[in-house]
Amino acid sequence: MPIPRLTLVAVAVTLAVPATAQSADKAFNPAVSLILDGRYADYDEEVFELPGFQIGGEAGLPDKGFSLGHTELTMSANVDQLLYGEFTAAIEEGETEIEEAYIETLGLGGGLTLRGGRFFSGFGYLNDVHDHAQDFAQTPLVYQAMFGGHLGDDGVQARWIAPTPLYLELGGELLAGRTFPGGDNEDGAEAGVLFARIGADLGDSWNWRLGTSWYASDFEQREAGGHHHGDGGGDADNELLDGEVDVAGLDAVFKWAPGGNATQRNLTLSAEYLVREESGEAEFSEDGNVGTADYDGEQTAWYFSAVYQWQPRWRAGLRYERLSADNDLNDFTVESGTLDFDEFAEESGLGDGADPERASLMVDYAPSEFSRFRVQYDRDDFGHDAEDRIYLQYTVSLGAHGAHGF
Amino acid sequence: MRRFLQAVILSLVAPVAHADLAVFACESEWGALARALGGERVSVSVATRPHQDPHRIEARPSLIAAMRGADLAMCSGAELEVGWLPLLQRRSGNPAVQDGAPGMFRAAEQVEPLGVPDAVDRSMGDVHPSGNPHVHLDPRRIARIAEAAGARMAELDPDHGDHYRRGTEEFLSEWRAALDRWEDEAETLRGLRVIVHHDNWLYLEDWLGLERVAELEPKPGVPPTPSHIASLRERAGEADVIVHAAYVDPRPARRLSEMTGIPVVELPYTVGGAEQAQDLFGLFEVTLERLTAVAR
């Protein structure tokens, strides 16, 4: 059957970048967008420690003073009639990290979509939202503690949308399990994720989505952020060996706009609650002193966030987060040198302490959909003295128009 | 117990047995067109309600669910929905509404566009490289779009092809009669000088021979600033009326009106934007009525 001329026109118009005269070889170029993010941070305490939590991935604080945040390059395009591809690289301090690079089916049918490659997991609400699209200067402390920022890994994902007027989506992933909170493992296919979400409109003004997610992984070795001890301290090494970890989460987001028109005013309320259970052999070594213990821990973390736009281009947001850990360390053994239990508990990050909490207040101004300036105040209380932190940030996007996720 | 089970099974099976053509309309005007052409054979869900700004829609859960089951998506195109339609196409997992499939219908592709820029740059504001996307405000273009949409429905649901062809013919003959009537009534509007809030009236201006003097937005998509409105005072002297859509904030238009004494008119812009504008005919009746009331 010959393809109708209108369909060919539709294909050409959609795939061409600007519609003005372009040479034929550029017509099929991917949509490209570049995110530039810069910041100024002012605070005193540089050490980032969450008692009861081993830090991994990209958890931490922005550099003091002026620095670049995540510079991100994204390219995406339809590959052919079957597939779509997307690539995102984050460039920081001369290191280029591939955040996402995946292929995805287009219209497989039956509400099913398959994805493969490297991607942010569909776990939770904020996990697959890139940093520059989030409402605060950093990903929630909850995500930093549980996933090192984002749970992203190599693997495959299947998502299915039920044929119901109520939005119901089920998803499953099989992942390598090499990224935090997983670790090195022999098969490179040790992690799994399951998630389920429902959502709908409520009247003209409210939209909502509720979800539940679960992640599990086994690993042979997981490195955690080491601490440097005192002046001229040597190398400290923190590992969790032969471990298992699982994280369960609940997420909820409610959006409001008068009559559903978000142009003048709108409100987003969101909350997530995560519980992580992990176990393994904890090993800490520094300058030849090595200690191990059997570790069995349960950590919980939750945040609640409210972001309100009171007039076009201006928004304010408030977020409160609380973490708590209940860890058991048994059979403490000094393998070599000298190390006492309290030191081990503190240095490994697995000792219980006061519940870390963070409150963030932000105001941002967006001249257009493509640029944003933000000022944010954080009050961190991680078990020592409370810390005040101020951030000034700009985030701009050059090139293709991004998607309005929910 | 058996009756209960029968009722449950029937309620699950019944929607499937109907075999309506499921239409996902991006905006109210296309939802209204789909209903006018398809009658009882179509079930229509509309993504953008009349008082919502189509540029600002998000790919929310209810839209993903609706897109998943759509046989035909009717949208404006020309990148009006670029912030949310591609995401809905990908998230839905629905082959019928992918680009290139007959179930993905873009109105702007059926007609000749106006306002195609020579070059585009983001410093120009929210400009559309393929031309102005708000094509529904010209009834002559609606006729062309209706022909194409009716043919597309018949292509997607060939078993009921005659129904769609008949529906399209009936609509078009009523529409052409109305168009003649409107063009007579609209003679008095020729040359009317207007200030608009946003550049979404281009096709109406073209049809009625209106002359646009200025826009309240300093650049397309940038909200009107007090300084820009103040700067329009001198040029405003040449204008007969200030026009804005029902879905926008009326205050900038009213502010300029207070400063200059020029009357403000709120136009429905789309089907459902006014109480008497519940279909495409009503949309143009109300629009012409409100403009002629001010022009007198």
Side-chain angles (χ1 to χ4, degrees):
Chain A
M1 187 181 88
I3 302 171
R5 186 155 53 95
L6 282 174
T7 311
L8 283 174
V9 169
V11 171
V13 166
T14 323
L15 292 181
V17 180
T20 50
Q22 285 279 313
S23 56
D25 57 353
K26 288 202 184 119
F28 293 104
N29 275 0
V32 182
S33 77
L34 178 67
I35 307 295
L36 301 179
D37 182 304
R39 52 196 59 196
Y40 174 81
D42 187 10
Y43 54 86
D44 289 324
E45 182 54 71
E46 283 183 357
V47 172
F48 180 78
E49 273 172 24
L50 299 172
F53 291 79
Q54 279 197 328
I55 311 296
E58 290 181 5
L61 294 168
D63 288 340
K64 271 207 228 180
F66 294 105
S67 70
L68 287 185
H70 254 170
T71 305
E72 239 174 64
L73 182 66
T74 300
M75 298 198 218
S76 63
N78 289 342
V79 171
D80 55 23
Q81 74 280 3
L82 182 64
L83 296 171
Y84 162 85
E86 186 170 308
F87 163 83
T88 303
I91 305 166
E92 210 161 3
E93 282 335 301
E95 259 179 32
T96 302
E97 194 195 298
I98 300 180
E99 277 197 344
E100 296 196 291
Y102 64 83
I103 55 172
E104 184 170 90
T105 57
L106 279 174
L108 205 52
L112 185 64
T113 302
L114 302 176
R115 176 185 288 193
R118 175 171 303 176
F119 50 88
F120 287 153
S121 170
F123 187 108
Y125 169 55
L126 280 184
N127 191 62
D128 63 2
V129 177
H130 286 234
D131 290 3
H132 64 88
Q134 296 203 8
D135 293 329
F136 293 83
Q138 299 178 71
T139 54
L141 196 62
V142 169
Y143 275 82
Q144 294 194 39
M146 291 291 182
F147 295 129
H150 292 266
L151 175 65
D153 207 347
D154 301 345
V156 292
Q157 180 193 74
R159 300 191 315 264
W160 177 73
I161 300 186
T164 50
L166 178 76
Y167 164 80
L168 165 64
E169 185 172 28
L170 303 176
E173 297 166 6
L174 261 172
L175 304 169
R178 284 188 287 257
T179 55
F180 190 86
D184 291 332
N185 60 77
E186 201 183 304
D187 292 333
E190 286 293 335
V193 172
L194 292 174
F195 56 87
R197 323 201 251 244
I198 55 173
D201 298 341
L202 201 61
D204 274 350
S205 304
W206 285 93
N207 311 117
W208 58 270
R209 204 191 84 173
L210 299 177
T212 177
S213 323
W214 177 81
Y215 162 87
S217 186
D218 291 343
F219 53 87
E220 273 130 43
Q221 182 183 45
R222 183 175 92 191
E223 301 272 343
H227 301 284
H228 292 280
H229 207 40
D231 304 16
D235 282 42
D237 195 35
N238 234 330
E239 285 178 7
L240 198 55
L241 304 169
D242 290 328
E244 310 183 331
V245 57
D246 69 72
V247 184
L250 291 174
D251 60 88
V253 54
F254 285 80
K255 295 202 178 191
W256 170 87
N261 187 350
T263 314
Q264 296 297 316
R265 295 178 296 143
N266 62 70
L267 172 68
T268 301
L269 300 170
S270 58
E272 294 194 64
Y273 176 78
L274 278 66
V275 178
R276 181 173 68 190
E277 287 180 357
E278 48 183 26
S279 61
E281 188 182 302
E283 183 186 283
F284 172 74
S285 57
E286 184 185 21
D287 294 336
N289 304 315
V290 181
T292 61
D294 284 338
Y295 160 64
D296 201 321
E298 186 184 290
Q299 298 101 31
T300 62
W302 59 268
Y303 75 79
F304 173 79
S305 151
V307 179
Y308 180 62
Q309 173 183 305
W310 71 87
Q311 66 180 59
R313 307 200 269 192
W314 286 96
R315 303 184 317 164
L318 190 61
R319 183 165 72 193
Y320 176 74
E321 327 191 47
R322 197 183 180 90
L323 285 56
S324 88
D326 184 8
N327 300 337
D328 288 327
L329 289 167
N330 296 315
D331 289 339
F332 172 63
T333 315
V334 180
E335 305 284 338
S336 77
T338 51
L339 195 60
D340 72 40
F341 178 74
D342 288 336
E343 209 182 324
F344 173 84
E346 200 198 309
E347 293 298 326
S348 67
L350 297 174
D352 293 340
D355 295 345
E357 54 181 34
R358 168 176 284 176
S360 307
L361 174 65
M362 78 92 190
V363 173
D364 67 22
Y365 169 68
S368 70
E369 276 192 87
F370 305 99
S371 63
R372 186 173 62 228
F373 296 88
R374 177 179 288 148
V375 58
Q376 179 170 322
Y377 163 70
D378 277 6
R379 185 168 180 80
D380 288 347
D381 199 343
F382 294 166
H384 303 294
D385 298 319
E387 274 298 310
D388 295 318
R389 306 188 204 268
I390 304 262
Y391 303 108
L392 302 173
Q393 177 192 32
Y394 69 78
T395 309
V396 305
S397 140
L398 288 72
H401 193 301
H404 302 163
F406 181 66
Chain B
M1 184 56 178
R2 186 138 66 97
R3 282 183 179 276
F4 171 70
L5 284 175
Q6 278 175 352
V8 169
I9 291 169
L10 272 175
S11 71
L12 290 172
V13 168
V16 179
H18 241 198
D20 285 344
L21 188 74
V23 177
F24 178 94
C26 284
E27 292 90 27
S28 304
E29 57 267 21
W30 310 126
L33 184 62
R35 280 185 209 104
L37 301 177
E40 330 95 38
R41 281 257 150 251
V42 297
S43 62
V44 179
S45 64
V46 182
T48 309
R49 290 189 276 268
H51 286 84
Q52 290 179 315
D53 184 342
H55 304 88
R56 298 267 330 209
I57 301 296
E58 285 181 345
R60 61 183 192 269
S62 59
L63 299 186
I64 298 174
M67 194 72 162
R68 182 250 197 255
D71 300 309
L72 170 63
M74 284 179 59
C75 301
S76 299
E79 308 218 312
L80 176 64
E81 302 104 352
V82 68
W84 48 283
L85 181 61
L87 192 58
L88 286 178
Q89 287 174 296
R90 290 205 304 273
R91 297 297 309 274
S92 69
N94 182 352
V97 295
Q98 302 301 319
D99 286 347
M104 184 63 242
F105 179 92
R106 289 184 166 92
E109 285 163 9
Q110 316 305 325
V111 294
E112 196 180 306
L114 295 176
V116 181
D118 294 320
V120 288
D121 186 85
R122 293 266 184 232
S123 65
M124 297 159 65
D126 187 22
V127 289
H128 298 271
S130 325
N132 195 299
H134 309 281
V135 296
H136 68 284
L137 284 167
D138 174 357
R140 303 163 303 181
R141 284 179 162 82
I142 289 198
R144 175 73 199 93
I145 293 164
E147 268 172 32
R152 192 68 66 89
M153 287 180 180
E155 186 190 325
L156 290 168
D157 185 10
D159 292 340
H160 301 105
D162 287 334
H163 171 88
Y164 299 116
R165 280 184 279 273
R166 214 179 319 121
T168 308
E169 272 163 33
E170 280 169 17
F171 173 79
L172 284 174
S173 70
E174 253 188 83
W175 189 255
R176 287 180 182 129
L179 184 52
D180 285 335
R181 212 179 53 241
W182 292 332
E183 291 191 332
D184 284 337
E185 287 167 21
E187 270 309 310
T188 53
L189 295 174
R190 211 146 269 287
L192 189 73
R193 293 159 304 175
V194 300
I195 295 180
V196 298
H197 179 112
H198 175 65
D199 183 16
N200 48 1
W201 303 101
L202 189 57
Y203 294 89
L204 187 73
E205 292 160 18
D206 179 64
W207 174 50
L208 293 176
L210 308 178
E211 196 188 302
R212 188 197 307 178
V213 169
E215 297 95 9
L216 294 177
E217 291 180 337
K219 293 226 168 101
V222 178
T225 55
S227 55
H228 181 76
I229 294 177
S231 77
L232 289 177
R233 277 173 98 158
E234 296 118 52
R235 273 198 286 165
E238 303 161 17
D240 300 309
V241 65
I242 304 168
V243 163
H244 71 87
Y247 73 79
V248 302
D249 180 12
R251 289 173 300 179
R254 288 184 194 154
R255 207 169 297 136
L256 184 61
S257 174
E258 277 159 30
M259 280 198 259
T260 58
I262 299 172
V264 181
V265 161
E266 177 187 289
L267 296 180
Y269 171 77
T270 186
V271 172
E275 222 184 282
Q276 299 84 9
Q278 294 306 321
D279 59 22
L280 288 166
F281 295 90
L283 171 62
F284 287 95
E285 307 275 346
V286 171
T287 301
L288 287 178
E289 199 183 294
R290 291 187 183 176
L291 283 174
T292 49
V294 159
R296 241 178 269 123

